Amino acid sequence: MKAWYLQSGDQGDIVLSTRIRLARNLEEFPFPMRLDSAGYSKVSEIVAATLNQGDSFRFVRMEELSPPMAHSLAEKHLISPAFANNPQGRSLLLSKDESVSIMLCEEDHIRLQVLRAGLALSDALKAAFEIEKILREKLTFAYDERIGYLTQCPTNLGTALRASVMLHLPALTRMRQIQRLAQTVAKLGLTIRGAFGEGTTPAGNFYQLSNQITLGITPEAAIENLEAITKQIINQERAGQQKMCGDLKTQDTIYRALGIFQSARLITSQECLQQLSLLRIGAAQGMLNIPMDTLNELLITLLPATLTAANNAELTAEERDVLRAKLARERLG
Amino acid sequence: MKAWYLQSGDQGDIVLSTRIRLARNLEEFPFPMRLDSAGYSKVSEIVAATLNQGDSFRFVRMEELSPPMAHSLAEKHLISPAFANNPQGRSLLLSKDESVSIMLCEEDHIRLQVLRAGLALSDALKAAFEIEKILREKLTFAYDERIGYLTQCPTNLGTALRASVMLHLPALTRMRQIQRLAQTVAKLGLTIRGAFGEGTTPAGNFYQLSNQITLGITPEAAIENLEAITKQIINQERAGQQKMCGDLKTQDTIYRALGIFQSARLITSQECLQQLSLLRIGAAQGMLNIPMDTLNELLITLLPATLTAANNAELTAEERDVLRAKLARERLG
């Protein structure tokens, strides 16, 4: 079973992955903010017992994970950085292929996430609701007939659904279209932000596009809206990349990016994202004969914590840069 | 017969080539400054007739060369840039392997040059004097018993010998030792300057070290002095390069230079010299398995005029950069 981040899916030239997150709270317990470590444990045990009839999920006590292991999960967007940084009493349910993760007692009692390669909103939503159904049959969720699901933060009230797609938008970034795009999608109830580091030009031109509205909308309508806008962005970005690649200087930087991965002895995380961005354009536009799933894989496996976690030993920043260069050479050499 | 610039010679890791230049003037003619085009022709014919008994030399009327052909000869240091820029009435005698060139009516009537790969001062001097002997047996040179050979510029009076070696000194450059070195060699009657472009850090860290003193010294003593100092510089540079290569960051830039040559689609002349400098260090220190003669060859063949001359057609600057990248990929790919 190949993890979603080792694959490329539908619209994989632009869309790296899809994520659906459902928030749920147990009616009989206060929100996590009002719970202590013992409360966390109780909630976690109840949820885990409901799901762990088979062995589809691994129950992970966050305190037992090394910091690189925990931060690697955050790099894969399986957990939030806050969850990685505050492991006390908290637990995670993780499916074997890492496509489903359930943070227990993060901001809400249950934060159920489903991840998929490429653009797969309906599929991911369906999978999320299948798991939610198992839980719903045994547990009573905090729910208001008028509002919908109750969540600790009011921004999630209602559907308690956050759907997002990770996009690679180098052409729109180059053409300085991201700010305009952010204003447009805000009017349509969406938000876009850098996937790796915030700022105006996020590293590697990777962005998260997600829905913001959870009240007065059905989950299906929310993802339809997100999907329609995503497809428009994909078309703009593809046209932009095609235009970019007509330029000899851009072609040169793309081929050089490959040369650098095949030869460098030190690659920082920041440079890695930049050069991977160039390789993605080259692969998407048929200039480079590199499968997109290889590039998806490298994007995750060369991130600092994931690199360290896979190495089973502490690494200095320089040792990480050496190892990153070595793995890239082996994979792209 | 492989041209000297396609080979690597003695001390070839640091010394690219050796050049001996003898200036001579015919007693019966005024210096070229006082000659017109008809005078140039007369002198040229006399000298050419003296040497061209066999077919060892090609007689080249500079006016018949295309500008790239003429400038290519200057890039190879077979003629001076001034000679390439002022072809009117001037001629050149060029040996088939391009190791001997005789500029006729440049600053002096005869500027005889012998070039060799690597450090080969005695050998080049011997070869120069052998040709000079053929000329001397038939022609009468302007000569003063007290001073020696008479030349148009007083800086050449006496031996009229300029001996020079082309050195690659990236470590001394990096350690900011060149200025100190220039002061030291000046006290010893030598001068050092950038081989490709002047300035404090010449492109690619290539330098010309040559003798300055031509009065009160024998040719043999002059080249012994030059050779002894060259060998000291070689030792310093080698130790410096070895130290540099202990540094991971330097290793990274050296391997990347190879990656760039193997992948880039556009390489400017300036970048080419910089990256070739890094490859030379890598080859000299055993990091890269590239023969030094390949690097000597690329250093010359990728220079703008030589590149254009070999292409047999006019090239824009961008077309040159494309062709340079293509040839580098073919040679180092």
Side-chain angles (χ1 to χ4, degrees):
Chain A
M1 221 160 10
K2 213 174 162 189
W4 58 271
Y5 55 85
L6 305 179
Q7 301 172 35
S8 175
D10 187 34
Q11 318 291 333
D13 56 334
I14 312 290
V15 186
L16 282 91
S17 58
T18 293
R19 182 164 48 131
I20 292 287
R21 194 200 71 201
L22 293 174
R24 294 292 183 267
N25 288 281
L26 305 186
E27 197 181 43
E28 57 186 309
F29 287 90
F31 285 137
M33 216 176 97
R34 300 256 176 119
L35 284 178
D36 58 10
S37 210
Y40 293 169
S41 294
K42 202 149 192 188
V43 169
S44 302
E45 276 159 28
I46 291 171
V47 178
T50 309
L51 276 177
N52 256 358
Q53 310 298 359
D55 60 347
S56 1
F57 288 93
R58 186 158 67 98
F59 185 79
V60 181
R61 284 179 216 286
M62 291 303 293
E63 288 172 79
E64 290 172 9
L65 288 186
S66 68
M69 292 293 279
H71 286 107
S72 170
L73 293 173
E75 284 175 351
K76 294 171 186 169
H77 296 276
L78 290 163
I79 63 173
S80 63
F83 200 67
N85 287 327
N86 301 287
Q88 304 79 5
R90 292 194 164 89
S91 303
L92 176 73
L93 287 164
L94 190 61
S95 73
K96 291 205 172 136
D97 64 357
E98 298 184 44
S99 73
V100 183
S101 76
I102 305 172
M103 287 184 280
L104 298 168
C105 297
E106 201 243 23
E107 196 177 275
D108 297 295
H109 294 150
I110 299 169
R111 283 266 173 121
L112 162 61
Q113 294 193 130
V114 172
L115 290 115
R116 289 282 183 274
L119 181 61
L121 284 161
S122 308
D123 180 52
L125 187 69
K126 193 168 154 245
F129 276 131
E130 275 167 18
I131 298 161
E132 195 255 5
K133 192 184 165 207
I134 300 171
L135 295 168
R136 188 157 25 95
E137 281 167 357
K138 306 233 172 127
L139 306 170
T140 307
F141 293 142
Y143 185 80
D144 179 278
E145 281 298 332
R146 205 171 45 90
I147 295 173
Y149 293 100
L150 301 179
T151 55
Q152 183 170 294
C153 178
T155 57
N156 295 315
L157 285 172
T159 58
L161 164 75
R162 184 78 73 237
S164 67
V165 286
M166 193 192 287
L167 304 173
H168 181 231
L169 305 176
L172 294 177
T173 306
R174 170 87 69 98
M175 296 186 289
R176 301 176 190 281
Q177 293 294 304
I178 299 296
Q179 208 181 343
R180 200 185 57 82
L181 183 66
Q183 288 163 1
T184 306
V185 301
K187 289 176 195 158
L188 300 166
L190 305 182
T191 187
I192 189 165
R193 59 183 176 78
F196 301 103
E198 310 278 325
T200 46
T201 307
N205 312 303
F206 296 104
Y207 297 87
Q208 291 277 1
L209 178 71
S210 57
N211 69 317
Q212 286 294 92
I213 297 168
T214 54
L215 274 171
I217 193 170
T218 64
E220 290 73 18
I223 68 158
E224 260 173 47
N225 182 34
L226 178 59
E227 178 148 341
I229 296 165
T230 299
K231 284 187 172 167
Q232 283 194 23
I233 296 174
I234 291 170
N235 288 338
Q236 286 176 34
E237 174 61 29
R238 269 194 202 129
Q241 286 189 21
Q242 200 176 355
K243 198 174 160 215
M244 266 174 85
C245 288
D247 174 43
L248 200 52
K249 285 199 173 60
T250 304
Q251 290 171 21
D252 180 55
T253 59
I254 288 169
Y255 284 112
R256 281 177 186 239
L258 183 57
I260 285 169
F261 275 124
Q262 291 175 335
S263 64
R265 260 49 181 181
L266 284 173
I267 301 181
T268 64
S269 176
Q270 193 74 6
E271 185 191 7
C272 184
L273 291 172
Q274 283 164 9
Q275 307 288 11
L276 277 177
S277 175
L278 289 164
L279 291 195
R280 292 191 77 88
I281 302 171
Q285 294 296 314
M287 279 170 57
L288 303 178
N289 187 22
I290 306 173
M292 204 55 92
D293 55 3
T294 302
L295 298 178
N296 286 6
E297 173 192 330
L298 289 172
L299 183 68
I300 296 292
T301 55
L302 300 183
L303 287 170
T306 304
L307 198 66
T308 308
N311 188 57
N312 291 320
E314 286 292 309
L315 293 170
T316 64
E318 187 176 82
E319 284 168 346
R320 264 205 311 270
D321 294 348
V322 169
L323 181 59
R324 183 177 291 115
K326 183 171 170 282
L327 294 176
R329 280 203 309 284
E330 287 170 3
R331 208 74 185 80
L332 297 169
Chain B
M1 219 161 9
K2 214 175 161 188
W4 57 270
Y5 55 85
L6 305 178
Q7 301 173 34
S8 175
D10 187 34
Q11 318 290 332
D13 55 334
I14 312 290
V15 186
L16 282 90
S17 59
T18 294
R19 183 164 48 130
I20 292 287
R21 194 199 71 202
L22 294 174
R24 293 291 183 267
N25 289 282
L26 305 186
E27 197 180 45
E28 56 187 310
F29 288 90
F31 285 138
M33 216 175 96
R34 300 253 176 126
L35 283 180
D36 58 11
S37 210
Y40 294 169
S41 295
K42 202 148 194 186
V43 169
S44 301
E45 276 160 30
I46 291 172
V47 177
T50 309
L51 276 178
N52 256 357
Q53 310 296 358
D55 59 349
S56 359
F57 287 93
R58 186 157 66 98
F59 186 77
V60 181
R61 285 178 217 284
M62 291 304 291
E63 289 172 78
E64 291 172 8
L65 288 187
S66 68
M69 292 291 283
H71 287 107
S72 171
L73 293 172
E75 284 175 351
K76 294 172 186 169
H77 296 275
L78 289 163
I79 64 174
S80 63
F83 200 68
N85 287 327
N86 302 288
Q88 302 79 5
R90 292 196 163 89
S91 304
L92 175 74
L93 288 165
L94 190 61
S95 73
K96 291 205 173 136
D97 64 358
E98 299 184 42
S99 73
V100 183
S101 76
I102 305 173
M103 286 183 281
L104 298 169
C105 296
E106 201 242 24
E107 197 179 277
D108 297 295
H109 294 149
I110 299 170
R111 284 267 172 121
L112 162 61
Q113 295 192 129
V114 172
L115 291 114
R116 289 283 183 272
L119 181 61
L121 284 161
S122 308
D123 180 52
L125 187 70
K126 192 167 156 250
F129 276 133
E130 275 168 17
I131 298 160
E132 195 255 5
K133 192 182 165 210
I134 299 171
L135 294 169
R136 190 160 20 97
E137 281 169 358
K138 306 234 172 128
L139 305 170
T140 307
F141 293 142
Y143 185 82
D144 179 278
E145 281 299 332
R146 204 171 45 91
I147 295 173
Y149 292 100
L150 301 179
T151 55
Q152 183 171 294
C153 178
T155 57
N156 295 314
L157 285 173
T159 58
L161 165 75
R162 186 77 74 236
S164 67
V165 286
M166 192 192 289
L167 305 173
H168 181 230
L169 306 177
L172 294 176
T173 306
R174 170 88 70 98
M175 296 187 289
R176 300 174 190 282
Q177 293 294 304
I178 298 295
Q179 209 182 342
R180 200 185 55 83
L181 182 66
Q183 288 163 359
T184 307
V185 301
K187 288 176 196 158
L188 300 165
L190 304 183
T191 187
I192 188 164
R193 60 183 176 79
F196 301 104
E198 309 280 324
T200 46
T201 306
N205 311 305
F206 295 104
Y207 297 86
Q208 290 276 2
L209 179 71
S210 58
N211 70 316
Q212 287 294 91
I213 296 168
T214 54
L215 274 172
I217 192 169
T218 65
E220 290 72 19
I223 67 158
E224 259 173 48
N225 183 34
L226 178 59
E227 179 149 339
I229 295 165
T230 299
K231 285 188 170 166
Q232 283 193 24
I233 295 174
I234 291 170
N235 289 338
Q236 285 175 35
E237 174 61 30
R238 269 195 202 129
Q241 287 190 21
Q242 199 175 358
K243 199 173 160 217
M244 267 173 85
C245 288
D247 174 44
L248 199 51
K249 285 198 174 61
T250 303
Q251 290 171 20
D252 181 54
T253 59
I254 288 169
Y255 284 112
R256 280 177 187 239
L258 182 57
I260 285 168
F261 276 123
Q262 290 174 338
S263 64
R265 260 50 180 181
L266 285 173
I267 302 180
T268 65
S269 176
Q270 193 75 6
E271 184 190 6
C272 185
L273 291 171
Q274 283 164 10
Q275 306 288 10
L276 277 177
S277 176
L278 288 164
L279 291 195
R280 290 192 77 89
I281 303 172
Q285 295 296 314
M287 279 170 58
L288 301 179
N289 187 21
I290 306 174
M292 204 54 93
D293 55 4
T294 302
L295 298 178
N296 285 7
E297 174 192 331
L298 288 173
L299 183 68
I300 296 294
T301 56
L302 299 183
L303 287 171
T306 304
L307 198 66
T308 308
N311 188 56
N312 290 321
E314 285 292 307
L315 293 170
T316 65
E318 188 177 80
E319 286 168 346
R320 264 206 311 270
D321 294 348
V322 169
L323 181 59
R324 183 178 290 115
K326 183 171 170 282
L327 294 176
R329 281 203 308 284
E330 287 170 4
R331 209 74 185 82
L332 297 169

